[in-house]
Short mmCIF file of all heavy atoms in Angstrom, two decimals:
data_model
loop_
_atom_site.label_atom_id
_atom_site.label_comp_id
_atom_site.label_asym_id
_atom_site.label_seq_id
_atom_site.Cartn_x
_atom_site.Cartn_y
_atom_site.Cartn_z
N ASN B 77 19.48 -48.31 -150.70
CA ASN B 77 20.61 -48.33 -149.78
C ASN B 77 21.44 -49.59 -149.94
O ASN B 77 21.81 -50.29 -148.99
CB ASN B 77 20.08 -48.31 -148.32
CG ASN B 77 19.52 -46.89 -147.99
OD1 ASN B 77 19.90 -45.89 -148.50
ND2 ASN B 77 18.51 -46.94 -147.03
N SER B 78 21.74 -49.88 -151.24
CA SER B 78 22.44 -51.14 -151.50
C SER B 78 23.64 -50.98 -152.42
O SER B 78 23.60 -50.09 -153.34
CB SER B 78 21.47 -52.13 -152.12
OG SER B 78 20.44 -52.55 -151.16
N LEU B 79 24.67 -51.75 -152.21
CA LEU B 79 25.85 -51.82 -152.99
C LEU B 79 25.94 -53.23 -153.63
O LEU B 79 25.51 -54.17 -152.98
CB LEU B 79 27.07 -51.55 -152.11
CG LEU B 79 28.43 -51.67 -152.72
CD1 LEU B 79 28.69 -50.43 -153.64
CD2 LEU B 79 29.52 -51.74 -151.65
N TYR B 80 26.48 -53.26 -154.82
CA TYR B 80 26.52 -54.57 -155.51
C TYR B 80 27.95 -54.77 -156.10
O TYR B 80 28.66 -53.85 -156.38
CB TYR B 80 25.49 -54.60 -156.67
CG TYR B 80 24.09 -54.26 -156.22
CD1 TYR B 80 23.53 -53.02 -156.45
CD2 TYR B 80 23.32 -55.25 -155.58
CE1 TYR B 80 22.25 -52.76 -156.03
CE2 TYR B 80 22.05 -54.98 -155.15
CZ TYR B 80 21.51 -53.70 -155.37
OH TYR B 80 20.22 -53.46 -154.93
N LEU B 81 28.25 -56.01 -156.34
CA LEU B 81 29.42 -56.38 -157.09
C LEU B 81 29.07 -57.55 -158.02
O LEU B 81 28.84 -58.70 -157.52
CB LEU B 81 30.58 -56.78 -156.17
CG LEU B 81 31.91 -57.07 -156.86
CD1 LEU B 81 32.47 -55.74 -157.41
CD2 LEU B 81 32.95 -57.67 -155.87
N GLN B 82 29.04 -57.30 -159.32
CA GLN B 82 28.82 -58.30 -160.31
C GLN B 82 30.15 -58.91 -160.70
O GLN B 82 31.02 -58.17 -161.17
CB GLN B 82 28.11 -57.74 -161.50
CG GLN B 82 27.86 -58.73 -162.64
CD GLN B 82 26.86 -59.84 -162.27
OE1 GLN B 82 25.88 -59.57 -161.64
NE2 GLN B 82 27.24 -61.06 -162.60
N MET B 83 30.30 -60.17 -160.47
CA MET B 83 31.56 -60.88 -160.76
C MET B 83 31.38 -61.90 -161.84
O MET B 83 30.61 -62.84 -161.71
CB MET B 83 32.07 -61.57 -159.48
CG MET B 83 32.21 -60.60 -158.30
SD MET B 83 32.94 -61.40 -156.86
CE MET B 83 31.69 -62.63 -156.47
N ASN B 84 32.08 -61.65 -162.96
CA ASN B 84 32.03 -62.56 -164.14
C ASN B 84 33.36 -63.22 -164.35
O ASN B 84 34.39 -62.75 -163.84
CB ASN B 84 31.54 -61.83 -165.37
CG ASN B 84 30.18 -61.19 -165.23
OD1 ASN B 84 29.33 -61.72 -164.52
ND2 ASN B 84 29.95 -60.04 -165.90
N SER B 85 33.37 -64.26 -165.16
CA SER B 85 34.64 -64.92 -165.51
C SER B 85 35.46 -65.22 -164.28
O SER B 85 36.66 -64.96 -164.24
CB SER B 85 35.41 -64.09 -166.52
OG SER B 85 34.66 -63.80 -167.64
N LEU B 86 34.80 -65.82 -163.30
CA LEU B 86 35.51 -66.04 -162.02
C LEU B 86 36.62 -67.08 -162.16
O LEU B 86 36.50 -68.03 -162.90
CB LEU B 86 34.46 -66.42 -160.97
CG LEU B 86 33.63 -65.32 -160.40
CD1 LEU B 86 32.35 -65.74 -159.72
CD2 LEU B 86 34.51 -64.47 -159.46
N ARG B 87 37.65 -66.81 -161.34
CA ARG B 87 38.83 -67.65 -161.33
C ARG B 87 39.05 -68.24 -159.95
O ARG B 87 38.55 -67.67 -158.96
CB ARG B 87 40.03 -66.86 -161.76
CG ARG B 87 39.93 -66.10 -163.08
CD ARG B 87 41.01 -65.12 -163.25
NE ARG B 87 40.92 -64.41 -164.53
CZ ARG B 87 41.60 -63.30 -164.82
NH1 ARG B 87 42.49 -62.79 -163.89
NH2 ARG B 87 41.48 -62.72 -166.02
N ALA B 88 39.81 -69.25 -159.85
CA ALA B 88 40.14 -69.81 -158.50
C ALA B 88 40.74 -68.77 -157.55
O ALA B 88 40.46 -68.75 -156.38
CB ALA B 88 41.09 -71.03 -158.66
N GLU B 89 41.53 -67.89 -158.11
CA GLU B 89 42.20 -66.87 -157.28
C GLU B 89 41.24 -65.80 -156.79
O GLU B 89 41.64 -64.91 -156.02
CB GLU B 89 43.38 -66.24 -158.06
CG GLU B 89 43.05 -65.64 -159.38
CD GLU B 89 43.34 -66.64 -160.53
OE1 GLU B 89 43.17 -67.88 -160.29
OE2 GLU B 89 43.80 -66.20 -161.62
N ASP B 90 40.01 -65.79 -157.23
CA ASP B 90 38.97 -64.88 -156.69
C ASP B 90 38.34 -65.42 -155.42
O ASP B 90 37.52 -64.73 -154.81
CB ASP B 90 37.89 -64.63 -157.75
CG ASP B 90 38.42 -63.96 -158.99
OD1 ASP B 90 39.23 -63.01 -158.85
OD2 ASP B 90 38.03 -64.35 -160.11
N THR B 91 38.65 -66.68 -155.07
CA THR B 91 38.16 -67.23 -153.82
C THR B 91 38.55 -66.41 -152.66
O THR B 91 39.77 -66.19 -152.42
CB THR B 91 38.63 -68.70 -153.66
OG1 THR B 91 38.12 -69.50 -154.71
CG2 THR B 91 38.24 -69.25 -152.32
N ALA B 92 37.59 -65.92 -151.92
CA ALA B 92 37.86 -65.03 -150.76
C ALA B 92 36.59 -64.72 -150.03
O ALA B 92 35.48 -64.98 -150.51
CB ALA B 92 38.48 -63.74 -151.30
N VAL B 93 36.76 -64.10 -148.85
CA VAL B 93 35.65 -63.47 -148.16
C VAL B 93 35.62 -62.01 -148.71
O VAL B 93 36.63 -61.35 -148.79
CB VAL B 93 35.84 -63.38 -146.64
CG1 VAL B 93 34.77 -62.54 -145.97
CG2 VAL B 93 35.85 -64.79 -146.04
N TYR B 94 34.44 -61.59 -149.14
CA TYR B 94 34.26 -60.27 -149.74
C TYR B 94 33.54 -59.44 -148.73
O TYR B 94 32.45 -59.73 -148.27
CB TYR B 94 33.46 -60.40 -151.01
CG TYR B 94 34.30 -60.87 -152.20
CD1 TYR B 94 34.67 -62.23 -152.28
CD2 TYR B 94 34.82 -60.00 -153.17
CE1 TYR B 94 35.48 -62.65 -153.32
CE2 TYR B 94 35.57 -60.45 -154.17
CZ TYR B 94 35.93 -61.75 -154.22
OH TYR B 94 36.75 -62.23 -155.28
N TYR B 95 34.14 -58.26 -148.39
CA TYR B 95 33.59 -57.29 -147.42
C TYR B 95 33.14 -56.07 -148.20
O TYR B 95 33.90 -55.59 -149.08
CB TYR B 95 34.61 -56.90 -146.40
CG TYR B 95 35.14 -57.96 -145.45
CD1 TYR B 95 36.35 -58.60 -145.66
CD2 TYR B 95 34.41 -58.33 -144.32
CE1 TYR B 95 36.84 -59.53 -144.84
CE2 TYR B 95 34.87 -59.26 -143.44
CZ TYR B 95 36.08 -59.87 -143.67
OH TYR B 95 36.57 -60.81 -142.82
N CYS B 96 32.04 -55.45 -147.83
CA CYS B 96 31.73 -54.16 -148.25
C CYS B 96 32.15 -53.22 -147.14
O CYS B 96 32.12 -53.61 -145.94
CB CYS B 96 30.29 -53.94 -148.70
SG CYS B 96 29.10 -54.13 -147.36
N ALA B 97 32.58 -52.02 -147.49
CA ALA B 97 33.10 -51.11 -146.47
C ALA B 97 32.80 -49.68 -146.90
O ALA B 97 32.76 -49.32 -148.05
CB ALA B 97 34.61 -51.27 -146.36
N ARG B 98 32.53 -48.87 -145.87
CA ARG B 98 32.24 -47.45 -146.06
C ARG B 98 33.51 -46.64 -146.03
O ARG B 98 34.40 -46.85 -145.19
CB ARG B 98 31.25 -46.92 -145.02
CG ARG B 98 30.72 -45.56 -145.18
CD ARG B 98 29.79 -45.16 -144.13
NE ARG B 98 30.46 -44.71 -142.93
CZ ARG B 98 29.86 -44.14 -141.90
NH1 ARG B 98 28.52 -43.96 -141.91
NH2 ARG B 98 30.56 -43.74 -140.82
N GLU B 99 33.59 -45.64 -146.91
CA GLU B 99 34.74 -44.69 -146.91
C GLU B 99 34.27 -43.34 -146.40
O GLU B 99 33.50 -42.64 -147.07
CB GLU B 99 35.32 -44.55 -148.28
CG GLU B 99 35.89 -45.83 -148.93
CD GLU B 99 36.43 -45.52 -150.29
OE1 GLU B 99 37.13 -44.50 -150.50
OE2 GLU B 99 36.20 -46.38 -151.22
N PRO B 100 34.71 -42.90 -145.25
CA PRO B 100 34.33 -41.61 -144.75
C PRO B 100 35.22 -40.52 -145.37
O PRO B 100 36.42 -40.66 -145.39
CB PRO B 100 34.60 -41.72 -143.25
CG PRO B 100 35.72 -42.65 -143.15
CD PRO B 100 35.58 -43.61 -144.29
N GLY B 101 34.62 -39.51 -145.90
CA GLY B 101 35.40 -38.41 -146.41
C GLY B 101 36.28 -38.78 -147.58
O GLY B 101 35.94 -39.63 -148.39
N ILE B 102 37.48 -38.17 -147.58
CA ILE B 102 38.39 -38.41 -148.72
C ILE B 102 39.68 -39.02 -148.21
O ILE B 102 40.76 -38.89 -148.78
CB ILE B 102 38.70 -37.09 -149.46
CG1 ILE B 102 39.29 -36.04 -148.44
CG2 ILE B 102 37.47 -36.61 -150.17
CD1 ILE B 102 39.78 -34.79 -149.13
N SER B 103 39.63 -39.74 -147.13
CA SER B 103 40.79 -40.29 -146.50
C SER B 103 41.24 -41.63 -147.01
O SER B 103 42.21 -42.17 -146.58
CB SER B 103 40.62 -40.29 -144.95
OG SER B 103 39.53 -41.13 -144.64
N TYR B 104 40.46 -42.28 -147.92
CA TYR B 104 40.76 -43.57 -148.39
C TYR B 104 40.98 -44.56 -147.26
O TYR B 104 41.85 -45.42 -147.30
CB TYR B 104 41.95 -43.55 -149.32
CG TYR B 104 41.63 -42.81 -150.64
CD1 TYR B 104 42.00 -41.47 -150.73
CD2 TYR B 104 41.01 -43.45 -151.66
CE1 TYR B 104 41.67 -40.75 -151.91
CE2 TYR B 104 40.69 -42.75 -152.86
CZ TYR B 104 41.05 -41.39 -152.92
OH TYR B 104 40.75 -40.73 -154.08
N ALA B 105 40.11 -44.36 -146.22
CA ALA B 105 40.09 -45.35 -145.11
C ALA B 105 38.74 -45.94 -145.12
O ALA B 105 37.80 -45.47 -145.81
CB ALA B 105 40.37 -44.66 -143.78
N PHE B 106 38.54 -47.04 -144.35
CA PHE B 106 37.32 -47.75 -144.33
C PHE B 106 36.84 -47.86 -142.86
O PHE B 106 37.46 -48.59 -142.13
CB PHE B 106 37.50 -49.15 -144.93
CG PHE B 106 38.17 -49.15 -146.27
CD1 PHE B 106 39.54 -49.40 -146.38
CD2 PHE B 106 37.46 -48.77 -147.38
CE1 PHE B 106 40.19 -49.34 -147.57
CE2 PHE B 106 38.16 -48.66 -148.62
CZ PHE B 106 39.43 -48.98 -148.70
N ASP B 107 35.74 -47.09 -142.52
CA ASP B 107 35.42 -47.03 -141.10
C ASP B 107 34.30 -47.98 -140.70
O ASP B 107 34.20 -48.28 -139.54
CB ASP B 107 35.05 -45.58 -140.75
CG ASP B 107 33.75 -45.13 -141.40
OD1 ASP B 107 33.34 -45.71 -142.42
OD2 ASP B 107 33.13 -44.14 -140.91
N ILE B 108 33.53 -48.46 -141.59
CA ILE B 108 32.47 -49.42 -141.30
C ILE B 108 32.63 -50.62 -142.25
O ILE B 108 32.69 -50.36 -143.46
CB ILE B 108 31.08 -48.80 -141.45
CG1 ILE B 108 30.92 -47.57 -140.51
CG2 ILE B 108 29.98 -49.89 -141.10
CD1 ILE B 108 31.02 -47.87 -139.06
N TRP B 109 32.62 -51.85 -141.70
CA TRP B 109 32.74 -53.05 -142.53
C TRP B 109 31.52 -53.93 -142.27
O TRP B 109 31.02 -54.04 -141.18
CB TRP B 109 34.01 -53.79 -142.13
CG TRP B 109 35.28 -53.07 -142.37
CD1 TRP B 109 35.70 -51.93 -141.77
CD2 TRP B 109 36.34 -53.45 -143.30
NE1 TRP B 109 36.97 -51.56 -142.26
CE2 TRP B 109 37.34 -52.51 -143.20
CE3 TRP B 109 36.47 -54.52 -144.19
CZ2 TRP B 109 38.52 -52.57 -143.94
CZ3 TRP B 109 37.61 -54.60 -144.97
CH2 TRP B 109 38.66 -53.59 -144.86
N GLY B 110 31.17 -54.68 -143.28
CA GLY B 110 30.20 -55.74 -143.08
C GLY B 110 30.84 -56.97 -142.49
O GLY B 110 32.04 -56.97 -142.25
#
Side-chain angles (χ1 to χ4, degrees):
Chain B
N77 291 331
S78 292
L79 177 72
Y80 305 102
L81 186 67
Q82 177 66 43
M83 304 185 295
N84 299 329
S85 302
L86 282 161
R87 306 166 180 168
E89 54 265 35
D90 296 317
T91 294
V93 174
Y94 284 73
Y95 297 99
C96 65
R98 187 180 81 170
E99 297 182 41
I102 57 171
S103 59
Y104 293 95
F106 310 101
D107 67 339
I108 303 296
W109 297 67

